[in-house]
Amino acid sequence: MNVLIIETKIGILHRVHVNDSDLDEFKDNLTYYERDYAEVKCAKTKRSLVFKRSEISTYSYGKIKEESQ
């Protein structure tokens, strides 16, 4: 599981839990210039977030580590 943090140009932060394939799909949506929007599906809530590519300021991601008991 990964956490994806997206910051918009107006300063809003979105944290989304994504699996590897959804993260790759999001990055692909940002790479292909003919696409105006990037969509990402949250693994926890099963909801999709759609961002206009031009409104995304930055994004970062990393693996979520399991807590030890």
Side-chain angles (χ1 to χ4, degrees), residues 29-41:
N29 285 336
L30 293 179
T31 303
Y32 297 115
Y33 294 106
E34 68 273 1
R35 297 182 183 167
D36 291 333
Y37 294 91
E39 180 179 355
V40 64
K41 183 177 180 182

Side-chain angles (χ1 to χ4, degrees), residues 4-40:
L4 171 63
I5 302 169
I6 302 165
E7 183 176 359
T8 63
K9 289 186 177 177
I10 60 172
I12 299 173
L13 288 175
H14 299 273
R15 289 181 183 263
V16 184
H17 291 89
V18 294
N19 57 36
D20 290 336
S21 63
D22 288 332
L23 178 60
D24 290 339
E25 186 176 327
F26 174 78
K27 292 188 296 185
D28 287 345
N29 285 336
L30 293 179
T31 303
Y32 297 115
Y33 294 106
E34 68 273 1
R35 297 182 183 167
D36 291 333
Y37 294 91
E39 180 179 355
V40 64

Side-chain angles (χ1 to χ4, degrees), residues 32-67:
Y32 297 115
Y33 294 106
E34 68 273 1
R35 297 182 183 167
D36 291 333
Y37 294 91
E39 180 179 355
V40 64
K41 183 177 180 182
C42 180
K44 283 189 170 184
T45 64
K46 307 297 184 213
R47 293 184 180 183
S48 293
L49 296 171
V50 179
F51 298 92
K52 192 169 185 176
R53 285 184 52 217
S54 62
E55 294 177 355
I56 296 174
S57 176
T58 61
Y59 73 94
S60 61
Y61 55 89
K63 290 280 185 194
I64 297 174
K65 297 183 181 178
E66 303 258 340
E67 291 185 23

